Amino acid sequence: MSTQSRSVHRWKDDPVLTVEHMSMRFGGLLAINNLSFEVGRGDITALIGPNGAGKTTVFNCVTGFYKPTEGRIVARHGTGAQVAAVEHATTKGKRWHSTDAGAVFLLERMPDYEISQKAKVARTFQNIRLFSGMTLLENLLVAQHNPLMVASGYTIGGILGLKSFKRAEKAATEKAAYWLDHVGLIDRADDAAGDLPYGDQRRLEIARAMCLEPLVLCLDEPAAGLNPRESADLNLLLRYIRETHGTSILLIEHDMGVVMEISDHVIVLDYGVKIADGDAAEVKSDPRVVAAYLGVDDEAEIDVPEVRKDLIEVTGRTKKGAGDE
Amino acid sequence: MAGTGQVPAGTTPVAPKNADVPQTRMARALRESLIAGALAAILGFFFLALRTDIVTGGLNVTTRWGLWLTAIAIVFAGRMALNLFWFDRDWGSGKPARKTIVAALPSGKTVGRVALLFALVLPFLFMALFPNKDRQFIDLSILIMTYIMLGWGLNIVVGLAGLLDLGYVAFYAVGAYSFGLSAHYLGLGFWTALPMAGLLAATWGLILGFPVLRLRGDYLAIVTLAFGEMIRIVLINWNDFTGGPNGISGIPKPTFFGLEIGRGEGSFGDVFGIPYDPIHRFVFLYYIILVLALLTNFVTMRLRRLPIGRAWEALREDEIACRSLGINTRNTKLSAFSIGAMFAGFAGSFFATRQGFISPESFTFLESAIILAIVVLGGLGSQIGIVIASVVMVGGIELLRNLNFLKQVFGPSFEPTEFRMLIFGLAMVVIMVWKPRGLVSTREPSATLKEKKLIKADQVAQGEGH
């Protein structure tokens, strides 16, 4: 496409996550239509678009909560696109394939719990889903369930009180304390998560996802409902996560301040179709993005040849603007 | 007039408020009592004031104005008292007062230790204090202890994992029948059959759980109910194997390291030189169920602090979040279901050996309902709450059999046992109104960083189908 040829995009060369020709159909509704994009390793990638554009559907497909109707979603450990490994896994019907260079995971074939456990793709939710009757510490310990399960000898060693399990539990508590410290909630570690104010709950959910040591962190509207100061803190936290832990971040966001400030790469969705893909500056100036966000209110604007062409492509109509529906 | 009194009270500082309150309180109480009295007058008119008797040729109407007026007076006075001493209490200061009571109460650990000590000496206490009734009391304690164990077992499924299981008695039946049948056909003793019964019940938990646990909420509850009934109906109809409705009799009593508890050569009393007393058998059974119940408690408490137990509670809180954190929810649910079933299996084989006779009659839905009621009444997830609830529910029903003193109050024609269930139901309603989340509704966290704080009930989710 024309936008992508403008500059060199490094996410093409080293994608940690690729979505390839993905479609998602709910009965008669085509929520996602032939969507392809890459998430670069170590990038902060933003997925934006008007309400109902299908952003959360993309998240649900990537994290295994929905099975996409068509398409392939690949997560990669180790560097590079690992094309051969991906092809090997695809043709042999495997869910993942590890090589010397790393490992590839075909997420559309994996159940949701394996995606966070094995492929290391973690997520948060638009409507916060904490374990509100459990303490902050317990919330973060639940996130370390799988390594602790192994350490407890699948419960048997834990019942017998093995030393190795006690050590593992101590390490897990320390990791939880580390993240609680970094989201500024260490003083409330022993309070119920449901007692926290809204902004703190959002940060706790990010901390909980980080306890999975993810390679890709998917955040569904992390800044929703935050005040400007909390938003700024969130930016700092995301940068810290990326820089210190090398985690790639894919986020859905409506707050353009957050998006434009921290994103390396922005993907714009509208009606389940990608309408722009590039860095923040490219996307901001893209006429189709402007049209999708602000609506196209008269014929004059549609007469810009590029916008009209894209509108036809997107909506299949010639007259009405996309924003009118 | 109440309104005018309240408006300044809301806007001005404390002093005038206190001056206004008694007057408006009295006025409001009077008004509401009058309304209640009037309602009683209208409702009672047909029931109390008029009395119809069937006489030959039709009905004879007599009036009972005295009774009617007394009823109105009682309602009026009752409402007045409620208004003055209950409804209008200062709730603002009432809440902190309640908190200090909780703080003043001994901690859960101390209560547990005292209860354990009490349970350990209980049979001897009965033998010393009630030499004539000790058998009856120890037998009742055994029954209560069985329900405590069943409650603790079901607590894993309902209280921790939040899966509403209405067919728990099925696993109790599996345990009882696996001992009954293995004793009947294979001649196995209690101690060999006990682990087998637990294992079998756990296996049935897995088999039944596998299709059932895909369902959520009310559907899960209904299907577990159906599976519970299925097992009972199979036991009734499989005449050749299970003896059908006639059940299995002659199930052996447990032995003490190979020594029988009874009369004669080589028995427990003979070896240890203790003269035979039928009470020994009851005391022995009591200690067996006490040990089994304590094992259930110990394992549950341990599991709560392990990743599996934390995953159960997380599952109760939010299943979708669990899946996003890499927890295999199906396996986690199955583990809760089968571990809960295992303890029911242990309890079931104990039940078989205690009774010496089992039939499908003992494993009806009512049994499941009682166990579930114990768990809900005690407070979902609370171990000590279940003990209190079992004592209240099982012991309470039994105690209500001894209400003969009421005959002196209401006259010899009064049959107190007929009101047993009514009184019991009323007590349940009162408890659920007073403590809707069970007797012990706070949750104790499974891990702490600095200091342990109890979690209020309103934050804790109840899970599926509640």
Side-chain angles (χ1 to χ4, degrees), chain B residues 170 246 291:
Chain B
N246 298 326
V291 167

Side-chain angles (χ1 to χ4, degrees), chain A residues 21-306:
Chain A
H21 306 289
M22 185 177 83
S23 295
M24 182 74 211
R25 188 181 281 282
F26 297 105
L29 176 76
L30 190 59
I32 306 289
N33 187 8
N34 196 18
L35 174 71
S36 302
F37 65 87
E38 295 84 22
V39 176
R41 195 175 303 278
D43 280 354
I44 294 181
T45 309
L47 192 61
I48 64 170
N51 284 328
K55 305 180 296 292
T56 300
T57 307
V58 172
F59 259 45
N60 282 337
C61 289
V62 168
T63 51
F65 283 83
Y66 295 158
K67 289 281 156 251
T69 321
E70 275 169 48
R72 183 166 69 180
I73 308 166
V74 188
R76 295 173 179 82
H77 297 182
T79 51
Q82 303 177 41
V83 180
V86 173
E87 283 313 312
H88 177 82
T90 308
T91 50
K92 294 277 192 250
K94 288 164 115 178
R95 279 183 286 180
W96 60 80
H97 179 62
S98 32
T99 57
D100 295 338
V104 295
F105 298 85
L106 302 184
L107 301 188
E108 83 281 0
R109 295 181 183 177
M110 295 166 72
D112 42 25
Y113 63 90
E114 275 188 348
I115 288 178
S116 49
Q117 183 191 350
K118 298 210 162 74
K120 297 277 172 204
V121 178
R123 72 169 293 179
T124 66
F125 295 88
Q126 192 171 355
N127 43 343
I128 306 168
R129 286 186 175 275
L130 289 169
F131 306 122
S132 54
M134 302 173 88
T135 65
L136 273 60
L137 177 67
E138 284 180 296
N139 267 275
L140 301 199
L141 287 178
V142 170
Q144 302 176 56
H145 175 77
N146 287 310
L148 280 176
M149 238 0 221
V150 175
S152 74
Y154 295 93
T155 304
I156 294 157
I159 288 185
L160 301 175
L162 292 188
K163 276 251 165 57
S164 59
F165 172 66
K166 292 216 170 105
R167 270 199 303 275
E169 199 177 31
K170 195 156 167 279
T173 311
E174 269 161 22
K175 194 206 265 183
Y178 167 86
W179 280 111
L180 283 175
D181 197 22
H182 278 85
V183 295
L185 293 171
I186 188 78
D187 295 331
R188 304 206 59 182
D190 294 320
D191 286 328
D195 283 338
L196 289 182
Y198 188 80
D200 290 352
Q201 292 198 2
R202 284 240 173 258
R203 286 207 307 282
L204 179 63
E205 212 189 5
I206 294 174
R208 189 178 67 178
M210 282 313 291
C211 279
L212 291 160
E213 299 189 338
L215 227 63
V216 184
L217 177 63
C218 302
L219 304 173
D220 199 342
E221 299 202 22
L226 301 190
N227 64 35
R229 230 204 74 210
E230 286 173 325
S231 271
D233 286 348
L234 178 75
N235 284 358
L236 287 178
L237 176 65
L238 296 187
R239 285 220 171 95
Y240 174 81
I241 287 171
R242 192 246 308 252
E243 267 136 44
T244 319
H245 294 268
T247 307
S248 318
I249 297 172
L250 173 64
L251 59 96
I252 291 177
E253 194 45 74
H254 278 298
D255 185 337
M256 285 303 137
V258 175
V259 171
M260 295 304 165
E261 198 189 324
I262 66 169
S263 306
D264 304 300
H265 175 190
V266 180
I267 297 152
V268 190
L269 281 189
D270 195 16
Y271 294 101
V273 179
K274 185 167 81 173
I275 59 172
D277 187 343
D279 62 34
E282 288 168 357
V283 165
K284 222 188 308 192
S285 57
D286 193 310
R288 286 172 297 187
V289 177
V290 177
Y293 265 87
L294 302 176
V296 185
D297 51 6
D298 55 34
E299 296 291 318
E301 250 179 283
I302 299 177
D303 278 347
V304 176
E306 198 183 354

